[in-house]
Amino acid sequence: MTLDLLLRDYTLQIVALGSAVLGAVSGILGSFAVLRKQSLLGDAVSHAALPGIAFVFLITGVKQTEMLLLGALISGLLGTFMIVSVDRYTRIKFDSALGLTLSSFFGLGLVLLTYIQKIPNANQAGLENFIFGQASTLLKRDVYWMIGLGIMILTVVIVFWKELKIFSFDPEFGKSIGFSDMKINMLLSSITVIAIIIGLQSVGVILMSALLIAPGVAARQWTDKLAIMVLLAAIFGIVAGVIGTIISSLVGNMPTGPVIVVVISLIVFFSLFFATKRGMLWRVMRMKRNRRDINDSKVLVNLYELAMNHDVVYHPHKTNVIMLGKNNKRTDNKHVIKSLLYLCDKGYVKRDYFDTWSITDLGIEKAKRIMANHGGEKL
């Protein structure tokens, strides 16, 4: 039914295509912001675009989308220039510069919008939609604009891929080989501004920051390779854009922009818990496995030392003699038995009569390797 709706509804197709382009572009650029620990950059720049929209309307008195977005572009670039200049030429730190720019530009934008609401002009209605977005108003020409700007951003990323990669992981190395940190910052910020302009009409200045960061955060949980991360972030952005659009069209009075952000947020939470690289669940399982490996190694080394100090190497020892260390307690015996059973399955230990255990030749070699890996020190 959903696929049928997507194939038949022309308006839904336009909005879904625009949201998918927005999601892909946001995911690609957001990956670099996440890696550079500049997640608030998109937040600051998107809020900085608001006064530009209001200024253009005050000057022209018409609500033409292209003109308003041009104002947003200029205002966003001014905000970017302010962030970079404050960070470079003052003692104010980068995060403080972001907060200062965000609050001052957004405050100015709200003041201007409030003033516009009070002047007698019928065209003013709907300007507030740039705060929260209104994807359902997307037209075919808007989507063409989004595709064109998206291709331009993708081209810039491909051309400057090496520089962006170096500065994402090791900016000091980038500066040592002659690249300019300020130019890279300006480049990344400028294309981020353009991406924000793409998304203003769909999700607005407030939610745009979430769409910029969330796909990158989700993709980071699954991989350590930049190319795969950027690709995954783009895919997550597209999926969120399309699914969010479909949900908002199926459920009455459901705003598209916030639904898209909710969908991408769910993808982020799923990735945080279940991603195989950095997911919380997998991390807990990995820690438990490592702890078990350490306990198994301790038990084997203890049994090896008992064997080496006995006249008969293969003499069996009771479980309570095979201790984990000085702090071993009776409650740990079950862990000792569990480790002994595991070592027995591996052929390192042999189970004898009356629940006694002896080390095998394979176990002796294994214990020697464990001790050698730890410099001969006891675990």
Side-chain angles (χ1 to χ4, degrees), residues 82-88 90-101:
M82 178 175 169
I83 293 168
V84 175
S85 299
V86 169
D87 177 55
R88 185 175 179 85
T90 70
R91 293 188 176 182
I92 298 175
K93 292 184 178 178
F94 187 75
D95 57 340
S96 301
L98 288 174
L100 178 66
T101 305

Side-chain angles (χ1 to χ4, degrees), residues 108-140:
L108 176 61
L110 288 179
V111 168
L112 293 173
L113 281 181
T114 305
Y115 173 74
I116 289 171
Q117 300 300 320
K118 294 179 179 177
I119 61 176
N121 188 335
N123 286 330
Q124 65 191 6
L127 274 181
E128 68 278 4
N129 288 333
F130 283 99
I131 297 179
F132 295 107
Q134 193 172 25
S136 58
T137 62
L138 282 177
L139 301 174
K140 196 173 182 179

Side-chain angles (χ1 to χ4, degrees), residues 90-211:
T90 70
R91 293 188 176 182
I92 298 175
K93 292 184 178 178
F94 187 75
D95 57 340
S96 301
L98 288 174
L100 178 66
T101 305
L102 184 154
S103 55
S104 58
F105 275 72
F106 191 59
L108 176 61
L110 288 179
V111 168
L112 293 173
L113 281 181
T114 305
Y115 173 74
I116 289 171
Q117 300 300 320
K118 294 179 179 177
I119 61 176
N121 188 335
N123 286 330
Q124 65 191 6
L127 274 181
E128 68 278 4
N129 288 333
F130 283 99
I131 297 179
F132 295 107
Q134 193 172 25
S136 58
T137 62
L138 282 177
L139 301 174
K140 196 173 182 179
R141 61 173 184 174
D142 298 327
V143 176
Y144 285 154
W145 268 100
M146 294 169 80
I147 293 174
L149 291 173
I151 292 173
M152 187 186 76
I153 290 172
L154 185 60
T155 305
V156 171
V157 170
I158 292 173
V159 171
F160 293 96
W161 177 262
K162 184 177 70 176
E163 289 83 355
L164 292 173
K165 185 176 182 179
I166 291 173
F167 274 90
S168 294
F169 293 102
D170 195 347
E172 294 302 321
F173 173 71
K175 285 189 277 190
S176 71
I177 59 176
F179 292 126
S180 169
D181 188 27
M182 185 177 183
K183 289 180 180 176
I184 294 297
N185 266 332
M186 285 300 295
L187 174 69
L188 192 57
S189 300
S190 299
I191 54 179
T192 301
V193 171
I194 297 173
I196 289 168
I197 301 306
I198 293 175
L200 280 183
Q201 205 173 349
S202 297
V203 295
V205 296
I206 293 179
L207 298 178
M208 188 58 213
S209 57
L211 200 58

Side-chain angles (χ1 to χ4, degrees), residues 118-353:
K118 294 179 179 177
I119 61 176
N121 188 335
N123 286 330
Q124 65 191 6
L127 274 181
E128 68 278 4
N129 288 333
F130 283 99
I131 297 179
F132 295 107
Q134 193 172 25
S136 58
T137 62
L138 282 177
L139 301 174
K140 196 173 182 179
R141 61 173 184 174
D142 298 327
V143 176
Y144 285 154
W145 268 100
M146 294 169 80
I147 293 174
L149 291 173
I151 292 173
M152 187 186 76
I153 290 172
L154 185 60
T155 305
V156 171
V157 170
I158 292 173
V159 171
F160 293 96
W161 177 262
K162 184 177 70 176
E163 289 83 355
L164 292 173
K165 185 176 182 179
I166 291 173
F167 274 90
S168 294
F169 293 102
D170 195 347
E172 294 302 321
F173 173 71
K175 285 189 277 190
S176 71
I177 59 176
F179 292 126
S180 169
D181 188 27
M182 185 177 183
K183 289 180 180 176
I184 294 297
N185 266 332
M186 285 300 295
L187 174 69
L188 192 57
S189 300
S190 299
I191 54 179
T192 301
V193 171
I194 297 173
I196 289 168
I197 301 306
I198 293 175
L200 280 183
Q201 205 173 349
S202 297
V203 295
V205 296
I206 293 179
L207 298 178
M208 188 58 213
S209 57
L211 200 58
L212 265 174
I213 300 306
V217 172
R220 185 71 181 97
Q221 309 307 313
W222 295 93
T223 182
D224 290 327
K225 295 182 179 179
L226 179 61
I228 297 176
M229 178 182 168
V230 170
L231 180 63
L232 276 178
I235 292 172
F236 288 154
I238 292 171
V239 170
V242 174
I243 292 179
T245 304
I246 293 173
I247 292 174
S248 69
S249 68
L250 292 175
V251 183
N253 299 321
M254 191 71 76
T256 307
V259 174
I260 292 173
V261 173
V262 169
V263 173
I264 191 62
S265 299
L266 291 175
I267 294 175
V268 170
F269 285 121
F270 179 83
S271 302
L272 285 173
F273 279 99
F274 300 107
T276 52
K277 274 288 182 183
R278 297 168 180 266
M280 293 170 65
L281 180 63
W282 288 96
R283 185 172 294 181
V284 170
M285 291 174 63
R286 194 161 52 242
M287 287 175 63
K288 290 183 73 173
R289 188 172 64 245
N290 291 340
R291 194 178 297 125
R292 189 197 67 193
D293 290 344
I294 291 172
N295 286 336
D296 294 344
S297 298
K298 281 183 178 179
V299 169
L300 184 62
V301 169
N302 283 346
L303 187 57
Y304 168 78
E305 289 181 340
L306 287 171
M308 292 301 108
N309 290 321
H310 200 279
D311 294 337
V312 181
V313 173
Y314 305 108
H315 179 78
H317 299 275
K318 292 182 179 179
T319 305
N320 58 359
V321 178
I322 307 169
M323 302 177 64
L324 285 172
K326 291 180 180 178
N327 296 326
N328 184 46
K329 298 177 182 177
R330 179 174 294 181
T331 53
D332 288 331
N333 283 342
K334 63 179 182 182
H335 299 296
V336 177
I337 294 173
K338 196 173 179 180
S339 294
L340 285 168
L341 289 172
Y342 173 76
L343 294 168
C344 193
D345 287 341
K346 292 289 182 183
Y348 300 135
V349 167
K350 181 183 174 185
R351 190 172 192 171
D352 293 308
Y353 51 88

